[in-house]
Amino acid sequence: MDLRLPDMSGTEAIQQIRRYSPVAKIVVLTTYEGDEDIYQAMEAGASAYVIKGMAHEVLLRALKQVLRGSRFLPHAVLESLHMRVPGSHLSSREREVLQLLFDGKSNREIAETLNIKEATVKSHVSVILMRLNVADRTQAVVEALKRGLVHL
């Protein structure tokens, strides 16, 4: 499963597949290396996570381990996942606000888009900055790109 699909995210596809077939074994093969991408895919029910560009032996090991009923995370993926800060999870609304920040929207534009008050947007932005441990909107967008919370 790649995480970048035309009609939905790979994580959403994993969730749908697992709802239909809870025993399905899914190996993620993607270019996304952010800790949040990895976390979300594994939470959705992926059994392994391999980065495109890793040696093909890594993919073969992943497939063999998953077929044996185990999970597989290469060392580099585990390191990235361990860098994820506990308590940094964003709610779905906060992720929407973050995406709109990434799109360059002002607080007023975000409020209009989401049909909420501008004060509520400011509150969401404050929480986002705190959870991402950054000082401003620009840093939030950069950190979100690094971690896989938003994508180009």
Side-chain angles (χ1 to χ4, degrees), residues 50-83:
V50 178
I51 308 295
K52 290 179 183 177
M54 289 182 163
H56 70 277
E57 291 86 7
V58 175
L59 178 58
L60 292 174
R61 277 199 330 257
L63 293 171
K64 288 176 185 176
Q65 266 192 249
V66 167
L67 284 173
R68 286 195 301 262
S70 299
R71 293 181 108 187
F72 180 82
L73 296 170
H75 182 70
V77 170
L78 271 174
E79 278 185 5
S80 185
L81 191 55
H82 287 306
M83 296 297 288

Side-chain angles (χ1 to χ4, degrees), residues 5 16 22 38-40 57 62 87-88 112 119 121 123 129 132 136:
L5 301 172
Q16 287 187 15
I38 298 165
Y39 176 79
Q40 293 295 326
E57 291 86 7
S88 65
E112 289 171 2
V121 173
S123 175
L129 297 180
L132 296 182
D136 60 41

Side-chain angles (χ1 to χ4, degrees), residues 1-2 14 24-30 45-50 58-59 62-67 70 72:
M1 173 69 64
D2 196 351
I14 293 168
K25 294 174 172 39
I26 301 167
V27 175
V28 173
L29 179 61
T30 187
S47 300
Y49 197 103
V50 178
V58 175
L59 178 58
L63 293 171
K64 288 176 185 176
Q65 266 192 249
V66 167
L67 284 173
S70 299
F72 180 82

Side-chain angles (χ1 to χ4, degrees), residues 3 11 33-42 49 80-81 84-85 88-90 95 144 146-149:
L3 295 184
T11 300
E33 300 181 48
D35 62 285
E36 193 64 26
D37 289 315
I38 298 165
Y39 176 79
Q40 293 295 326
M42 298 308 288
Y49 197 103
S80 185
L81 191 55
R84 185 174 187 271
V85 177
S88 65
H89 179 73
L90 300 177
R95 288 177 72 106
K146 280 194 238 176
R147 294 194 47 210
L149 291 161

